[in-house]
Amino acid sequence: MSHVSAEQLLAEHKAALQNYLGARCRDGELAAELLQEVAARLVFALPRLSLNGNARGYLFRIAASVWHDYLRRELVRRRSAALLKGEPEAVAPAADAHLLDRELKDAVRRAIDALPSLQRDVVELRQRQGLTFQQIADRLGRPLGTVLTQMRAALARIGVRGDVVEVAVL
């Protein structure tokens, strides 16, 4: 699978993937965001892949996984919101919650600061400003594939596996 880049695969199947995600969420902006997640997962997985001629099938499996992950997160968010509305009083946080939160933020900040500047720029624009990978590529004047590769390298360097950890505490 070394001859095909993530950028080539995505360019070839972008319209079909956009239609697939758009038909599920019925929101063009959300579909574009989900497509960015498909791209990020593809870049992360590409070095280990052997598609055996079925790149389209693999991309749609990624898209289905991204859609299902979105639905699960949305379900949890809605259940949490409903639970909070139904509770007369909030549970008090642990006494050391503030300290632990600050320590986590400091550890994440140190890990990001230790990244090479090209990777650090991508991570900060994604996490702090919430930009899509395409917006980051446009802002930095880099190809989308390069930005995705830099994000993957940054996540690998700070020990994030796939989409298990979000660096949302910046």
Side-chain angles (χ1 to χ4, degrees):
M1 189 64 240
S2 59
H3 299 341
V4 178
S5 73
E7 219 168 359
Q8 289 170 320
L9 284 173
L10 288 169
E12 186 177 332
H13 301 286
K14 181 179 180 179
L17 290 166
Q18 188 89 36
N19 289 339
Y20 174 82
L21 294 166
R24 275 141 189 83
C25 68
R26 308 240 181 246
D27 178 340
E29 194 172 297
L30 177 58
E33 221 176 281
L34 294 173
L35 186 58
Q36 292 291 320
E37 179 63 26
V38 170
R41 289 187 189 186
L42 176 63
V43 167
F44 191 78
L46 198 61
R48 301 180 309 279
L49 286 183
S50 171
L51 298 178
N52 297 324
N54 195 6
R56 182 179 174 92
Y58 185 77
L59 284 171
F60 277 88
R61 283 192 302 276
I62 293 175
S65 176
V66 166
W67 174 243
H68 290 121
D69 289 348
Y70 169 78
L71 290 176
R72 279 190 289 273
R73 283 191 308 271
E74 190 64 14
L75 180 62
V76 167
R77 187 192 63 74
R78 287 181 183 176
R79 284 182 180 167
S80 297
L83 192 68
L84 287 174
K85 286 180 184 176
E87 289 182 356
E89 55 189 74
V91 177
D96 61 351
H98 178 68
L99 177 63
L100 292 173
D101 185 47
R102 191 175 73 226
E103 286 178 5
L104 177 61
K105 285 180 183 178
D106 290 345
V108 169
R109 180 79 263 154
R110 283 191 305 273
I112 292 172
D113 287 345
L115 291 171
S117 64
L118 293 174
Q119 295 172 7
R120 187 175 52 245
D121 293 344
V122 172
V123 170
E124 288 179 340
L125 288 171
R126 177 74 173 164
Q127 296 308 126
R128 283 191 174 185
Q129 296 184 24
L131 299 180
T132 66
F133 290 112
Q134 185 61 59
Q135 290 169 328
I136 294 168
D138 293 344
R139 179 173 288 183
L140 297 176
R142 300 176 192 162
L144 175 61
T146 300
V147 167
L148 293 169
T149 300
Q150 289 167 338
M151 183 63 149
R152 179 184 54 81
L155 294 175
R157 180 171 241 159
I158 61 176
V160 177
R161 293 177 296 122
D163 61 346
V164 174
V165 175
E166 291 186 23
V167 188
V169 293
L170 296 175

